[in-house]
Amino acid sequence: MRRSCSTSFQTEPSVTTVMESRVLSIQSHVVRGYVGNKSATFPLQVLGFEVDSINSVQFSNHTGYAHWKGQVLTADELNVLYEGIKLNKVNHYDYILTGYSRDISFLEMVVDIIQELKKANPSLVYVCDPVMGDQGAMYVPENLLPVYRDKVVPLADTLTPNQFEAELLTGRKIHTEEDAVEVMDLLHNMGPETVVLTSTDLPSKHGDSFLVALGSQKTVKTDGTTTIQKICMNIPKVDAVFVGTGDLFAALLLAWTHHHPKDLKAACEKTVSVMHHVIKRTITYANEAAGPGNRPSPAQLELRMIQSKADIENPAIVVEAKVLQRS
């Protein structure tokens, strides 16, 4: 016999409704492991964001494994999903986050969606990781470069290229810190107010075991004047190949620039420190799982994301950013 129960709830009149921030994340998805949306969603949720995910691909695992299977979302299928969101009038977003794309028609459909969402909400912030290549080699079709340069980057508010991607977008090589600053200024002129070079080949003053990253943020004040903050970070290197770290970085930067909208130094310190904790926990686990003298497998090197929840929420700052310019 089913027992029915009626319960009434009363809302406290003194409780203030908290405005939630909602992110549309268009990235890859894997069943096993952490890359793309799997890398971005959990940390964003932990840091208080609602995340709507569109999976550009659905693979069994990332392609660094010996085997992988899956499906790729077409531009038409992307449009169908977006139309469903729009028909229900739930297409209002505070942020858009995009990562890896291999198909020109898919990327152009992403551009169309972003333009429409920005028209509906002019204060929407678009965070773009322009994934094209690294270490002098492109791993996407070359015809994506003009789409990124001419259509995607002008829409972006925050851009997170590595050195090679920044060089591709600007046509300028980076050999010195001054070159890097100039390239970031060129990227600002293309549209983004915040630019972070997530990795460079520049020598670190701390030695070969450190990686140099740089950032630049233009902020328009209420009186119309512009302030610029430029920073440099020396990040400890880890001797292993991790997948999904770029996706994690972009998601964390989105979150921490939301919490520190006019302080790139604080946002980057928290972003990079979380990365350090996650990677350190991952390599420790992977080495123990592999055993002495053995190189960890791709499965063992999957990011220890869930185990790093506390560090994502409240990271101990282990990398400090040096201010190069504040004006």
Side-chain angles (χ1 to χ4, degrees):
M1 186 174 180
R2 181 174 296 168
R3 182 178 296 170
S4 62
C5 176
S6 176
T7 308
S8 61
F9 295 93
Q10 290 185 342
T11 56
E12 292 287 340
S14 60
V15 174
T16 303
T17 302
V18 178
M19 293 299 292
E20 61 188 29
S21 291
R22 187 170 290 272
V23 181
L24 176 62
S25 182
I26 306 175
Q27 300 193 67
S28 55
H29 170 82
V30 287
V31 177
R32 171 65 182 263
Y34 292 93
V35 68
N37 274 330
K38 281 286 289 287
S39 233
T41 301
F42 177 74
L44 284 171
Q45 289 173 330
V46 163
L47 290 169
F49 294 82
E50 292 285 351
V51 183
D52 293 356
S53 301
I54 294 179
N55 299 326
S56 57
V57 305
Q58 177 166 261
F59 288 166
S60 54
N61 43 266
H62 69 70
T63 56
Y65 284 73
H67 309 282
W68 53 273
K69 300 286 185 181
Q71 303 84 36
V72 177
L73 195 72
T74 67
D76 287 341
E77 289 167 339
L78 168 62
N79 189 47
V80 167
L81 289 175
Y82 177 66
E83 284 297 317
I85 295 169
K86 193 162 65 169
L87 286 169
N88 287 302
K89 295 183 172 58
V90 289
N91 59 328
H92 180 93
Y93 291 98
D94 304 288
Y95 289 91
I96 300 175
L97 176 62
T98 65
Y100 178 74
S101 176
R102 277 194 61 85
D103 180 75
I104 192 167
S105 61
F106 187 92
L107 191 57
E108 288 179 333
M109 181 61 69
V110 169
V111 168
D112 291 344
I113 290 171
I114 294 168
Q115 287 174 330
E116 186 169 308
L117 291 174
K118 280 201 163 205
K119 189 175 180 181
N121 177 21
S123 63
L124 180 148
V125 174
Y126 172 32
V127 178
C128 172
D129 184 7
V131 182
M132 290 183 286
D134 203 0
Q135 299 297 318
M138 290 187 73
Y139 40 66
V140 300
E142 290 186 10
N143 62 0
L144 261 65
L145 173 57
V147 179
Y148 270 113
R149 184 187 61 228
D150 303 333
K151 296 182 179 181
V152 178
V153 173
L155 286 173
D157 300 283
T158 299
L159 195 70
T160 62
N162 58 35
Q163 175 176 327
F164 177 62
E165 291 158 348
E167 290 173 338
L168 285 175
L169 290 168
T170 60
R172 300 290 292 271
K173 290 289 185 182
I174 296 173
H175 301 290
T176 65
E177 187 177 281
E178 291 73 23
D179 292 339
V181 167
E182 191 172 320
V183 163
M184 289 191 293
D185 285 339
L186 289 171
L187 290 169
H188 281 315
N189 293 339
M190 293 167 71
E193 293 182 352
T194 301
V195 176
V196 177
L197 304 184
T198 57
S199 64
T200 70
D201 299 324
L202 297 176
S204 170
K205 295 172 184 176
H206 297 281
D208 293 341
S209 58
F210 287 81
L211 181 76
V212 176
L214 299 101
S216 179
Q217 184 177 52
K218 286 174 65 176
T219 305
V220 180
K221 294 158 68 170
T222 51
D223 62 1
T225 59
T226 300
T227 62
I228 297 178
Q229 184 186 54
K230 286 187 166 64
I231 61 165
C232 177
M233 295 170 287
N234 291 273
I235 305 168
K237 291 180 181 177
V238 176
D239 184 23
V241 177
F242 300 97
V243 178
T245 49
D247 308 316
L248 175 60
F249 187 101
L252 290 169
L253 187 66
L254 183 160
W256 290 119
T257 51
H258 173 83
H259 293 300
H260 303 280
K262 297 179 181 178
D263 190 352
L264 185 63
K265 180 179 186 292
C268 281
E269 285 176 344
K270 289 188 175 180
T271 296
V272 172
S273 292
V274 172
M275 296 289 297
H276 174 83
H277 294 306
V278 173
I279 289 171
K280 187 177 179 181
R281 181 171 287 107
T282 301
I283 194 65
T284 299
Y285 167 83
N287 285 334
E288 288 176 357
N294 297 321
R295 197 166 186 83
S297 68
Q300 291 163 340
L301 285 168
E302 292 286 5
L303 297 177
R304 303 292 284 171
M305 198 78 73
I306 307 302
Q307 297 79 3
S308 302
K309 178 176 177 289
D311 290 316
I312 294 169
E313 289 178 296
N314 187 25
I317 303 301
V318 293
V319 177
E320 292 193 7
K322 173 189 172 186
V323 176
L324 300 176
Q325 176 188 346
R326 192 193 298 271
S327 60

